[in-house]
């Protein structure tokens, strides 16, 4: 057995001795079969040795870092080694993109789709490729909806509505799946008809058909174990009609059944009709109908004026009117009582700050005692600690002076920060002292918040995570402190998101947003007499496409404050002037960005993958913390079917 290169031998010895990793890639004497065994090996070393073995040239992106582990007992050819190499890159979030020169560029999967080469065949496994697929019969946008869930998260899919061309960038195995789906659906074998209904509601007819075909059980829930028939039925509630797609024989059989449902056993209309609402708010519907009733009352007798009522307990709407007026009002109700889309609004708040402060001050004192001819000479700066004069007064030996300055001296010493060096002494004639104080503060912070909230289209929602902090708004002591009292107001401190989404045609969402991030400033509160808060707030209105991330606003601030205090004339002297000055330097850098992403949830099927993604995140966090996932047990007790994410 021999190793790939002398560099590899040195790296193997080095890492084995230090215990950093155990790395070996051995090849047989014939140099045709290879065995790979790596443990916590540097990925760049792995790339280098693969290049030596396969003879391929790799251009490595600087962002490609990390370690890899591979265990193999079977012997591999050079081609199989290269395929393993591509699979390892994919697992680690990287990919290899062929270049015009024949080399491979190793880079992140994210953003690699834009450089993927075109292919007419299957492409090489493990390498991003771009394929153009043309449909003969179907709509490319409809086909894209079926294909998109099967693609890689970093793959790309482009299709023009009404067109017949798809441009897909992904791994070859996913391109193969896409071609198979298109081949299966791009065949014109079905017919489409529309059946208007006169006496029964379209949604009731659809539910009956679904139960008849076994798509729903008697309780109205979807039957996951049932075999779907080759007929699709869609209820068009605004026009109270059914849209049916399927084979000619199946459609004709179903059409006869629907027409019988719409005529057999239907009693003539009376003066009152009752409609059960499903999605709309009954009070809102009644308010709309009451505005329309005067229009119908003009064409009817006063004794037969139409009226509407709503029973909240049963969610039923009662209409009292002539048959033709009932039909007109029921048409309005059907247009209002539809399932509205929802919008998941996710905010990303990133704040990176860096604060540095430097203080350097020198103080000295020379003072004579009582009866001495020595003068008083001293320097004292407000931005330096401790207070040398207060300390000297406390230690002067004069009881009256020491008593009056003791509290100030102790307070000055307790407030010391950084390093302090001092020297002093006292004689029969006087006393002296020198104090040097130096302080350096460096604080870095990285705050990432991702609040999100789901709400109905055109319905405002509020998200708040924080605390109600009391702030003093007023104080009164009264006469001679006879009746002191204090008034307090409570303010919400934390992360607050207020949003009003409105879905516009074409998958565009209009968002009225108010985003606020507030916190208590510890440093400022320590100096001030009351609580001081930090506040970041954005209030704006934006337009965003479905699933698109856009930036709402940001703050890039670089604040530097320089302060220098010195003794006149003496502080300006070269070199020696530093003994008569004190300086302070404070610098704060802040980088704040707020992003937003709306996701339209049009039906229950759209909500399933989004909910599953959030559940997987909670499972991972719980598993990292405790090694178990009690969340699945709770969902099981609630009889909620989930698909737990696999864990190693």
């Amino acid at each position: 057995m021999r190793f790939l290169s002398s560099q590899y031998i040195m790296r193997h010895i080095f890492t084995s001795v230090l215990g950093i990793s155990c790395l070996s890639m051995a090849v047989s004497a014939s140099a045709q079969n290879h065995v790979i065994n790596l443990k916590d090996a540097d990925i760049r070393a792995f790339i280098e040795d693969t290049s030596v073995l396969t003879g391929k040239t790799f251009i490595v992106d600087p962002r490609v870092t990390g370690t890899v582990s591979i265990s193999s007992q079977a012997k591999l050819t050079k081609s199989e080694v290269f395929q393993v190499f591509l699979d390892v890159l994919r697992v680690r979030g990287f990919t290899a993109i062929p270049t015009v020169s024949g080399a491979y560029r190793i880079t992140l999967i994210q953003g690699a789709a834009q450089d993927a080469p075109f292919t007419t065949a299957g492409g090489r496994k493990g390498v991003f490729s771009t394929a153009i697929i043309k449909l003969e019969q179907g709509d490319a946008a409809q086909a894209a909806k079926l294909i998109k869930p099967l693609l890689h998260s970093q793959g790309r899919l482009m299709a023009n509505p009404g067109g017949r061309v798809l441009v897909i960038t992904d791994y070859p195995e996913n391109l193969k799946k896409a071609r198979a789906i298109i081949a299966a659906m791009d065949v014109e074998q079905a017919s489409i008809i529309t059946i208007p209904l006169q006496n029964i509601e379209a949604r009731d007819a659809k539910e009956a058909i679904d139960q008849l075909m076994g798509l729903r059980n008697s309780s109205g829930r979807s039957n996951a174990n049932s075999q779907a028939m080759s007929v699709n039925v869609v209820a068009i509630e605004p026009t109270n009609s059914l849209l049916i797609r399927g084979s000619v024989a199946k459609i004709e059989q179903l059409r006869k059944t629907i027409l019988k449902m719409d005529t057999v056993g239907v009693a003539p209309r009376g003066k009152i009709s009752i409609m059960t609402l499903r999605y709309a708010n009954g009070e809102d519907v009644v308010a709309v109908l009451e505005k329309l009733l005067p229009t119908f009352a003009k064409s009817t007798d006063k004794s037969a004026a139409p009226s509407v009522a709503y029973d909240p307990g049963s969610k039923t709407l009662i209409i009292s009117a002539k048959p033709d007026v009932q039909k007109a009002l029921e048409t309005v109700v059907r247009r209002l009582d539809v399932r509205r889309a929802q919008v998941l609004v996710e905010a990303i708040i990133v704040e990176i700050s860096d604060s540095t402060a430097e203080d350097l001050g020198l103080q000295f004192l020379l003072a004579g005692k009582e009866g001495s001819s020595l003068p008083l000479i001293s320097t004292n700066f407000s931005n330096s600690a401790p207070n040398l004069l207060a300390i000297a007064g406390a230690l002067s030996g004069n009881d009256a002076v020491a008593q009056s300055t003791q509290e100030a001296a102790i307070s000055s010493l307790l407030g010391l920060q950084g390093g302090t060096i001092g020297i002093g002494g006292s004689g029969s004639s006087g006393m002296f002292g020198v104090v040097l104080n130096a302080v350096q503060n460096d604080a870095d912070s990285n705050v990432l918040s991702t609040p999100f909230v789901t709400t109905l289209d055109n319905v405002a929602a509020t998200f708040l995570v924080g605390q109600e902090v009391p702030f003093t708004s007023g104080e009164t002591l009264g006469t001679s402190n006879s009746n002191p009292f204090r008034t307090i107001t409570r303010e919400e401190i934390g992360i607050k998101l207020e949003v009003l989404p409105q879905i516009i045609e074409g998958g565009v969402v209009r968002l009225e947003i108010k985003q606020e991030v507030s916190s208590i400033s510890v440093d400022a509160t320590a100096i001030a007499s009351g609580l001081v808060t930090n506040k970041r707030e954005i209030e704006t209105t934006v337009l965003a496409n479905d699933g698109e991330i856009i930036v709402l606003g940001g703050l890039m601030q670089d604040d530097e404050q320089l302060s220098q205090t010195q003794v006149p004339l003496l502080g300006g002297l070269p070199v020696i002037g530093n003994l008569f000055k004190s300086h302070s330097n404070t610098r704060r850098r802040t980088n704040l960005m707020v992003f937003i992403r709306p996701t339209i949830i049009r039906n229950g099927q759209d909500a399933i993958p989004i909910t599953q993604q959030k559940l997987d995140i909670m499972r991972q966090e719980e598993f990292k913390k405790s090694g178990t996932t009690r969340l699945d047990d709770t969902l099981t007790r609630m009889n909620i079917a989930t698909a737990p994410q696999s864990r190693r």
Side-chain angles (χ1 to χ4, degrees), residues 20-22 38-42 67-69:
I20 299 175
S21 65
C22 180
L38 305 175
K39 183 178 180 182
D40 297 332
D42 182 72
T67 59
V68 297
S69 297

Side-chain angles (χ1 to χ4, degrees), residues 49-204:
D49 293 319
T50 303
S51 175
V52 174
L53 178 62
T54 62
K56 299 183 183 297
T57 303
F58 298 129
I59 304 172
V60 185
D61 192 299
R63 296 172 294 178
V64 177
T65 58
T67 59
V68 297
S69 297
I70 307 173
S71 178
S72 172
Q73 302 300 325
K75 296 181 179 180
L76 307 174
T77 64
K78 287 186 178 181
S79 177
E80 292 173 336
V81 168
F82 184 61
Q83 189 58 56
V84 170
F85 170 73
L86 295 177
D87 292 338
V88 170
L89 291 181
R90 182 173 178 177
V91 170
R92 296 297 298 165
F94 309 119
T95 188
I97 301 175
T99 63
V100 178
S101 63
Y104 287 85
R105 184 162 62 89
I106 311 299
T107 185
L108 300 179
I109 292 180
Q110 183 177 4
Q114 62 186 7
D115 298 328
F118 282 96
T119 178
T120 56
R124 187 180 184 94
K125 184 180 179 182
V127 178
F128 262 146
S129 301
T130 299
I132 299 177
I133 303 176
K134 185 177 180 181
L135 285 74
E136 297 296 336
Q137 302 291 340
D139 182 9
Q142 295 297 327
K145 293 181 179 179
L146 297 177
I147 297 173
K148 188 175 182 180
L150 302 177
L151 299 182
H152 191 275
S153 59
Q154 296 301 324
R156 285 190 176 183
L157 175 61
M158 292 176 286
N160 292 329
R164 294 184 178 179
V165 176
L166 285 170
V167 180
I168 309 175
T169 300
D170 210 308
Y171 289 105
E173 55 268 31
N174 292 337
L175 293 178
K176 183 178 180 181
K177 295 177 184 178
R179 287 190 174 96
I181 292 175
I182 293 174
M185 66 171 293
D186 193 24
V187 179
E188 186 60 35
Q189 296 178 343
S191 177
I192 301 176
I193 66 170
T194 302
I195 302 177
L197 302 176
Q198 300 297 328
N199 300 298
I200 60 175
E201 294 189 15
R203 57 190 176 190
D204 294 333

Side-chain angles (χ1 to χ4, degrees), residues 454-591:
T454 303
T455 181
L456 283 175
D457 176 29
N458 205 27
V459 175
T462 301
F463 176 92
L464 173 64
V465 176
Q467 297 175 321
E468 287 192 346
V469 180
F471 289 86
T472 301
S473 58
E475 289 182 338
T476 302
L477 298 178
T479 305
S480 301
N481 288 339
S482 60
N483 186 25
F485 68 90
R486 175 183 298 174
T487 58
I488 294 176
T489 59
R490 295 185 177 273
E491 301 290 340
E492 295 174 344
I493 301 297
I495 300 175
K496 188 174 184 180
L497 173 64
E498 297 180 3
V499 60
L500 175 61
Q502 295 176 321
I503 301 176
I504 308 174
E505 184 179 358
V508 180
V509 183
R510 182 180 184 271
L511 298 167
E512 296 181 7
I513 302 169
K514 182 178 181 181
Q515 173 72 60
E516 178 182 314
V517 180
S518 56
S519 62
I520 297 177
S521 176
V522 179
D523 297 336
T525 300
I527 301 175
S529 59
L531 295 177
V532 178
T533 59
N534 299 320
K535 189 173 183 180
R536 312 279 193 267
E537 181 178 349
I538 292 178
E539 187 170 358
T540 183
T541 301
V542 297
L543 294 176
N545 293 329
D546 180 18
E548 178 187 17
I549 299 178
I550 64 172
V551 62
L552 294 184
L555 170 66
M556 295 184 182
Q557 181 180 5
D558 191 349
D559 183 13
E560 185 173 7
Q561 297 180 357
L562 301 176
S563 175
Q564 179 172 300
T565 307
Q566 66 180 28
V567 176
L569 299 179
L570 297 178
L573 296 176
V575 183
I576 197 173
N578 294 323
L579 300 176
F580 301 93
K581 67 175 62 174
S582 174
H583 70 85
S584 175
N585 185 1
T586 303
R587 185 171 188 174
R588 179 177 179 84
R589 296 178 179 178
T590 302
N591 191 346

Side-chain angles (χ1 to χ4, degrees), residues 612-622 645:
Q612 192 66 49
Q613 180 187 18
K614 302 303 181 183
L615 285 175
D616 288 341
I617 293 175
M618 296 306 298
R619 287 191 185 99
Q620 293 174 2
E621 294 297 327
E622 188 179 15
Q645 187 182 43

